[in-house]
Amino acid sequence: MAGRPEFNPVRDVISGIIMAATSVPQLVAYAETTGYASYRGLATAGPSLFAWGLSTGSPFMSCGVTSITALMAKTDLDGDSYVAEHGEAEYARIVAAYSLYIGLASILLAVVGFGKLAQSVPKNVRSGFKWGCAVGVVASAVPNGLFAGGSRQLKAAVAKSAVSGLVKSVKENLPMCTGFVNVTNLIYALVNPFNWSVIPAVLFLLSTVFVMKAGKYLPKSCPPGTEVIICCAVATLFSMKTDYPGGVVGEIPSLDADAGFDVFGIIKVPVEVLDYKYLMDAPIVEKFGSVATLMLSASLFAAVNFLSIMGIASGFEAENGIAWSAPRELVAQGIACIAAAFTGSAPVSGSMSRSLVSRMAGTTSQLSCLVTALVWIYLLPYMSIMSPTPKACLSAVIVSAVIKSVVYPKDLMNFKGTDLIVGWGTGIATCLTSPTIGFGVGLIMAIVLGFVSGSGKDGKKKTA
């Protein structure tokens, strides 16, 4: 095992710039998955990553809004309904407030020793949870890929279909089963191709194939993610030069000239920091019904969120010999989520794809994260170049990252006996209800079936 690489600031600066360039499409795409305006993904990504870089112990691991954290936040807060009732700005406010509570819960869990306990979560539960979340991510991304009007157009079509009664009944009688509604919409969309918007759908399918296959044919000197940049660039040019009928990223508001803060009165940091009272007054407690329910949900979110970090850190330990501390990384998650809250971002976690790119690009320390964050912060005024980028292309970026694990989940396919039941049970519960409920169901199934199977083995031994 190689161990921790020798510090090289030049390599870190270069890898940080590569990371910043290759990750921009993901920032926009996962904002869409969260359910708020696309530009928020660009405007809020830097500060949380900077906070992560200052607090993590891993030289390679990168952090940000991921497909799973975006999906979980949108599901827990019932994003679509909240936006329809209160508007996008108010939804973004409670998302930020939720990030704050998740950050505080993460630090609390680290203090009580959950970091080490998380390492004992059974593989069958983790694998099922990952598959269920991947299905949810696809269900969230497909509407913008196949329909010019996105999820609104799809929901209108479903409301006129034969399954409208079933969807309405589930919404009224089983409100926690938001995943069931999304999966039903996904199935309806896939089996009714004549309802697709032709140009966005073709762009979506071509972009998905390109992102999944192009990497094999690009020069080896190109960093991972180059195919994503090429795809988005071509799609953006197509949108600019034609009367593109589908949804696009849209206008990226410019930061107020007086916004931001000074560091030591010397350096101006162009980041809008939300007022603490503004976050605390957000009606998130009312959304969950009570402070106790909110803290329980935030704690479950933080616990589930940490599984991603644990998986990435364990992988680097096995492959590169880089030891890691569970309590420290859980605290780092909390600090990053708190930073995300005060800049209006959804909750953040470790990103496997970005972490792998970071390692490949030659990162030697956390300085790489800091460089990436600063690039995002200071180059935001120039990101308006993405305003005409088609949402269908961004949906393709998301789908291409998870579709293989949805169609052929290797771990779940290899499970047998009670592992098979727990794994698939967790996955189905996760995609039909919500990630937090699904994870809880998986843990209960693992404990109960583990106890039953253990009792059976003990009984056989006594009989023998």
Side-chain angles (χ1 to χ4, degrees), residues 133-451:
C133 285
V135 173
V137 169
V138 172
S140 295
V142 162
N144 277 328
L146 299 180
F147 300 93
S151 59
R152 289 185 180 180
Q153 182 178 342
L154 174 57
K155 288 177 181 178
V158 171
K160 299 176 182 178
S161 71
V163 298
S164 60
L166 175 62
V167 171
K168 184 177 180 181
S169 177
V170 170
K171 284 183 176 180
E172 292 176 352
N173 301 308
L174 297 170
M176 77 291 295
C177 293
T178 53
F180 177 87
V181 175
N182 293 334
V183 171
T184 301
N185 290 347
L186 171 64
I187 295 172
Y188 177 86
L190 295 178
V191 300
N192 288 277
F194 292 108
N195 289 341
W196 298 355
S197 302
V198 177
I199 295 178
V202 170
L203 179 62
F204 168 69
L205 295 174
L206 289 177
S207 297
T208 301
V209 173
F210 179 84
V211 172
M212 293 179 68
K213 301 294 184 181
K216 299 178 182 179
Y217 305 101
L218 293 174
K220 293 184 179 180
S221 57
C222 295
T226 301
E227 66 278 7
V228 174
I229 295 177
I230 294 173
C231 182
C232 289
V234 172
T236 301
L237 287 173
F238 173 74
S239 174
M240 293 170 62
K241 299 299 182 180
T242 65
D243 186 19
Y244 179 70
V248 295
V249 170
E251 181 183 359
I252 299 177
S254 58
L255 191 67
D256 190 285
D258 297 326
F261 57 92
D262 294 326
V263 178
F264 306 120
I266 302 174
I267 303 173
K268 178 74 172 181
V269 181
V271 172
E272 185 175 358
V273 179
L274 301 180
D275 182 70
Y276 175 77
K277 192 173 185 301
Y278 175 80
L279 286 177
M280 296 306 295
D281 288 346
I284 191 167
V285 174
E286 292 82 350
K287 178 65 180 174
F288 283 90
S290 68
V291 173
T293 305
L294 170 58
M295 287 307 302
L296 176 60
S297 181
S299 298
L300 286 172
F301 194 118
V304 172
N305 207 15
F306 185 63
L307 294 180
S308 297
I309 292 175
M310 185 179 72
I312 298 168
S314 297
F316 288 149
E317 183 175 36
E319 297 172 13
N320 301 94
I322 299 176
W324 65 289
S325 165
R328 176 173 179 173
E329 299 308 325
L330 189 49
V331 169
Q333 171 182 290
I335 292 173
C337 282
I338 291 172
F342 281 99
T343 50
S345 170
V348 296
S349 182
S351 168
M352 175 65 82
S353 60
R354 280 169 260 179
S355 298
L356 293 176
V357 171
S358 178
R359 181 178 65 176
M360 184 283 311
T363 294
T364 67
S365 75
Q366 296 91 320
L367 175 61
S368 178
C369 279
L370 304 181
V371 171
T372 300
L374 291 174
V375 170
W376 286 342
I377 290 171
Y378 283 98
L379 293 186
L380 180 61
Y382 306 98
M383 292 298 182
S384 58
I385 191 173
M386 292 197 69
S387 293
T389 301
K391 291 183 178 181
C393 175
L394 299 175
S395 292
V397 172
I398 297 173
V399 170
S400 64
V402 299
I403 192 64
K404 286 184 180 179
S405 62
V406 170
V407 176
Y408 185 72
K410 292 182 180 179
D411 288 341
L412 290 180
M413 299 294 286
N414 292 330
F415 285 144
K416 296 179 181 179
T418 56
D419 285 339
L420 180 71
I421 297 172
V422 172
W424 281 106
T426 303
I428 293 171
T430 298
C431 70
L432 294 185
T433 57
S434 71
T436 46
I437 293 176
F439 184 73
V441 169
L443 286 179
I444 293 172
M445 291 178 65
I447 293 171
V448 171
L449 290 179
F451 176 78

Side-chain angles (χ1 to χ4, degrees), residues 40-167:
R40 295 187 189 276
L42 294 169
T44 63
S48 59
L49 181 60
F50 195 88
W52 170 264
L54 293 176
S55 52
T56 182
S58 173
F60 299 145
M61 204 182 325
S62 185
C63 148
V65 177
T66 67
S67 58
I68 293 179
T69 62
L71 174 67
M72 289 175 64
K74 183 178 182 180
T75 303
D76 286 356
L77 299 173
D78 194 12
D80 289 338
S81 298
Y82 200 91
V83 170
E85 185 175 352
H86 302 283
E88 187 271 342
E90 279 301 305
Y91 173 62
R93 183 184 180 188
I94 68 163
V95 168
Y98 198 32
S99 293
L100 177 61
Y101 283 98
I102 291 166
L104 296 173
S106 298
I107 295 174
L108 179 61
L109 289 174
V111 171
V112 300
F114 176 80
K116 294 183 178 179
L117 178 64
Q119 294 174 283
S120 62
V121 174
K123 182 179 179 180
N124 48 21
V125 174
R126 285 186 277 122
S127 298
F129 172 77
K130 183 178 179 181
W131 179 81
C133 285
V135 173
V137 169
V138 172
S140 295
V142 162
N144 277 328
L146 299 180
F147 300 93
S151 59
R152 289 185 180 180
Q153 182 178 342
L154 174 57
K155 288 177 181 178
V158 171
K160 299 176 182 178
S161 71
V163 298
S164 60
L166 175 62
V167 171

